[in-house]
Amino acid sequence: MALPQLIPSHSSSSLTHQPSINPNAANPYPMLKSFLKPSSLSQSRRFHRLSSLRASASSFPDNHQTDPSKPDDVVELPIFPLPLVLFPGAILPLQIFEFRYRIMMHTLLHTDLRFGVIYSDSVTGTTDVGCVGEIVKQERLVDDRFFLICKGQERFRITNVVRTKPYLVAEVNWLEDRPSGDEDLEGLASEVETYMKDVIRLSNRLNGKPEKETLDLRRNLFPTPFSFFVGSTFEGAPREQQALLELEDTATRLKREKETLRNTLNYLSAASAVKDVFPSS
């Protein structure tokens, strides 16, 4: 049986960018790929090739939300539009070979090792909210290509495009989650972890893998970084990931992830029951 599809939550949110995901689409999203196929830095050779992008800096209009006041919390950041969503704490391998991005790398390696990653696709265009990627490991090849390992850091929102050539540079504001009031974040995080373990267990069963005990998924993470970790596992559903990244409330993010995992668990439970009745299916 193929990997189960992700069944995203369709609950309302305060997002300015509201993704639309159809769980019944012809091409279902693979669920929690990073759990089913764990990888380490030494193993990962699945570098994202920047030349395959359909979106580019030209996706931004020249008059993109200018901010002439330029407050102290606004900084300039080189930007990568990519068909993926980077979360704080997540690891992103990249292969750099397009000329303009090689220029960017030469600049970054001699100044700041940080750049912005924003999600872009041919349907929704280029988003305003992204995550800083910090280069933690790099290898320069003889043909001037680069292999990079990056780690997600702060989230940001683009407020103004400074230039688009030779690569995109924008002014950004940093995003932080607002206080969640009286919400029981620890309780929410524990519920999300329980659903994740159940999803992994049933996924392994449906794929003929041993149903061994799932390890500690939280790894002593506080609720906010744990919510980012959960979002990073929803590979194959980038619009849902983008919605999670844009949320500025940890409790809301955890509740949306819980609903997504609960929907997926219901789907897996039904698929498991069908498999028990019809083992050859």
Side-chain angles (χ1 to χ4, degrees):
M1 179 178 286
L3 291 178
Q5 65 185 26
L6 176 64
I7 313 296
S9 164
H10 294 278
S11 59
S12 61
S13 73
S14 60
L15 296 181
T16 57
H17 165 73
Q18 184 65 37
S20 173
I21 298 181
N22 179 8
N24 299 315
N27 296 316
Y29 298 109
M31 226 306 292
L32 296 176
K33 188 186 300 181
S34 59
F35 285 129
L36 301 177
K37 297 181 181 179
S39 62
S40 64
L41 293 184
S42 60
Q43 307 177 301
S44 180
R45 304 301 293 178
R46 187 169 49 89
F47 292 97
H48 298 281
R49 300 174 64 85
L50 299 186
S51 68
S52 65
L53 295 181
R54 292 290 182 263
S56 68
S58 61
S59 301
F60 286 93
D62 292 336
N63 60 350
H64 180 84
Q65 197 176 342
T66 58
D67 183 7
S69 60
K70 293 185 181 179
D72 293 338
D73 60 345
V74 173
V75 299
E76 288 189 8
L77 197 65
I79 301 293
F80 270 132
L82 286 170
L84 55 85
V85 178
L86 178 64
F87 282 86
I91 298 299
L92 174 65
L94 287 172
Q95 179 183 174
I96 311 296
F97 60 91
E98 190 174 342
F99 180 68
R100 58 177 169 168
Y101 293 122
R102 283 188 279 139
I103 294 175
M104 178 192 286
M105 287 304 110
H106 283 287
T107 302
L108 291 177
L109 293 176
H110 287 89
T111 54
D112 189 3
L113 298 177
R114 294 152 59 88
F115 58 93
V117 174
I118 53 174
Y119 173 65
S120 180
D121 67 20
S122 58
V123 177
T124 60
T126 305
T127 60
D128 289 338
V129 174
C131 180
V132 170
E134 182 176 17
I135 301 171
V136 295
K137 185 177 180 181
Q138 60 91 13
E139 179 183 357
R140 182 179 174 183
L141 304 181
V142 292
D143 57 0
D144 208 31
R145 286 182 298 136
F146 290 88
F147 287 145
L148 306 178
I149 300 294
C150 308
K151 185 174 183 180
Q153 301 293 345
E154 303 95 332
R155 291 176 299 156
F156 63 84
R157 184 184 301 276
I158 292 177
T159 59
N160 180 47
V161 172
V162 177
R163 67 172 187 269
T164 59
K165 297 181 183 295
Y167 51 82
L168 180 62
V169 176
E171 292 177 347
V172 305
N173 281 328
W174 304 121
L175 295 183
E176 293 184 359
D177 277 8
R178 298 183 295 266
S180 296
D182 297 330
E183 294 280 2
D184 181 10
L185 295 182
E186 286 293 335
L188 277 172
S190 295
E191 288 182 72
V192 169
E193 181 184 26
T194 298
Y195 275 115
M196 290 179 75
K197 288 181 177 181
D198 289 342
V199 167
I200 294 169
R201 175 179 53 80
L202 272 180
S203 297
N204 287 339
R205 180 184 178 191
L206 287 166
N207 285 281
K209 298 180 180 179
E211 295 186 38
K212 56 185 178 182
E213 183 67 24
T214 306
L215 300 178
D216 176 24
L217 298 178
R218 282 195 64 178
R219 300 168 298 173
N220 297 319
L221 291 174
F222 289 110
T224 297
F226 178 65
S227 72
F228 291 138
F229 166 70
V230 175
S232 72
T233 67
F234 292 172
E235 294 187 14
R239 296 181 201 170
E240 176 67 11
Q241 288 183 308
Q242 182 66 29
L244 294 169
L245 185 74
E246 292 184 11
L247 287 170
E248 297 180 53
D249 180 83
T250 301
T252 303
R253 188 180 302 109
L254 285 169
K255 288 177 181 178
R256 181 164 180 150
E257 291 167 342
K258 183 175 103 171
E259 184 67 18
T260 295
L261 289 165
R262 181 164 54 195
N263 292 342
T264 303
L265 184 61
N266 290 338
Y267 167 83
L268 292 175
S269 298
S272 180
V274 169
K275 186 174 182 179
D276 289 341
V277 175
F278 304 101
S280 61
S281 61

